[in-house]
Amino acid sequence: QRVSRPGAAYETSRRTIDALALGLAGTAGAHAWEASTRYDDNSQFGGRDNASIAYAYALAPAWRVGGSAGTSFVAPSFNQLYFPGFGNPLLQPEEGRHGEAYVRWDGAATTARLTAWRHRYRGFITSGQNPVNLPRATVQGATLAVDQRWDGGLLQASLDHTDPRNTTTGSANEHRLLPRRAERVLRVAADQRIGPWSFGTTLLASSHRYDDAANLVRMGGHATVDLRAERAISPGLTAALALNN
């Protein structure tokens, strides 16, 4: 069933997406590359083309630099469109252009990676209740990630520094932070295997953010801790228990 609305494609209780993708990857000496393209035919929002390309170069056995660029297309979910008291049936798809550059070091038991990235959006879909499309938005920043391995164990830590801004020229909220986007996020995860058992925990800490586009309603920073345990019963069967905060 379809119901026409001004400014929206139509309301529907069903959506079909047909896609065709093509990818190519290769290496030659210290060089590595990957390219892909994809066409999506969305029964509600029409057809879209997207593509990406990535390249990496090994400076030395332990050092690698690289970068990537690409485009994206995200259709609003049914909840974002139609959920009572929450959705906005006038939402349109979000389109993005993305780029990143990184340097990576691989040691015997340690891996470290520093990445700088920038995402530019047209029709950015805001988070939370009554989402809207922002004409322009930019999210850029850097991520430092370190993995440390030992016998039966793994420690992973990452720190994101993000600058998420409304970049719609002439908007009352131009240059303000995007709603519900924290500027700093720390994630630390540790896992240890002991015989058939595996135990793990994850700490996620986030700085403050704002609940509104005008940055008047401040939401305090927070931290959560998750716990998990697994036991291998047989080579193809594992029992798991997780306590998520």
Side-chain angles (χ1 to χ4, degrees):
Q1 296 181 348
R2 301 178 179 179
V3 180
S4 297
R5 286 238 179 150
Y10 50 77
E11 289 190 16
T12 179
S13 60
R14 182 175 300 176
R15 178 188 295 172
T16 300
I17 301 174
D18 296 314
L20 178 64
L22 176 66
L24 176 67
T27 60
H31 306 272
W33 63 87
E34 182 177 303
S36 65
T37 182
R38 172 172 170 148
Y39 175 78
D40 287 86
D41 183 14
N42 188 304
S43 62
Q44 188 174 9
F45 295 105
R48 294 293 194 282
D49 289 301
N50 285 289
S52 65
I53 186 169
Y55 170 79
Y57 179 74
L59 297 171
W63 289 93
R64 179 182 294 265
V65 295
S68 64
T71 61
S72 66
F73 165 79
V74 178
S77 69
F78 281 140
N79 281 344
Q80 290 174 317
L81 286 165
Y82 310 126
F83 194 86
F86 178 90
N88 174 8
L90 301 181
L91 279 180
Q92 293 296 302
E94 171 187 290
E95 298 180 357
R97 294 180 179 273
H98 315 280
E100 73 168 41
Y102 71 87
V103 57
R104 173 171 171 158
W105 177 76
D106 290 292
T110 306
T111 299
R113 175 171 171 146
L114 178 62
T115 306
W117 38 266
R118 188 183 191 199
H119 309 303
R120 294 179 293 170
Y121 299 94
R122 181 163 54 186
F124 179 83
I125 299 175
T126 59
S127 304
Q129 188 175 11
N130 301 319
V132 298
N133 289 110
L134 296 181
R136 301 283 180 177
T138 300
V139 182
Q140 58 189 354
T143 300
L144 176 62
V146 179
D147 294 353
Q148 178 66 49
R149 298 170 295 277
W150 62 87
D151 186 23
L154 174 63
L155 176 66
Q156 298 175 297
S158 65
L159 176 63
D160 292 322
H161 179 75
T162 307
D163 185 29
R165 299 282 173 176
N166 181 342
T167 50
T168 305
T169 302
S171 166
N173 297 314
E174 184 180 2
H175 302 311
R176 298 193 185 276
L177 295 173
L178 295 174
R180 299 195 176 189
R181 291 293 187 105
E183 293 179 276
R184 289 171 298 280
V185 176
L186 172 67
R187 181 183 182 273
V188 180
D191 291 275
Q192 179 66 52
R193 180 168 295 279
I194 304 174
W197 288 91
S198 177
F199 303 93
T201 183
T202 298
L203 166 69
L204 183 66
S206 173
S207 65
H208 76 274
R209 49 191 168 162
Y210 293 96
D211 196 35
D212 64 323
N215 294 177
L216 299 177
V217 182
R218 189 178 190 273
M219 304 170 68
H222 67 277
T224 62
V225 176
D226 301 333
L227 303 174
R228 55 188 172 275
E230 295 183 356
R231 190 184 192 283
I233 299 175
S234 68
L237 182 62
T238 300
L241 174 67
L243 298 177
N244 295 325
N245 185 345

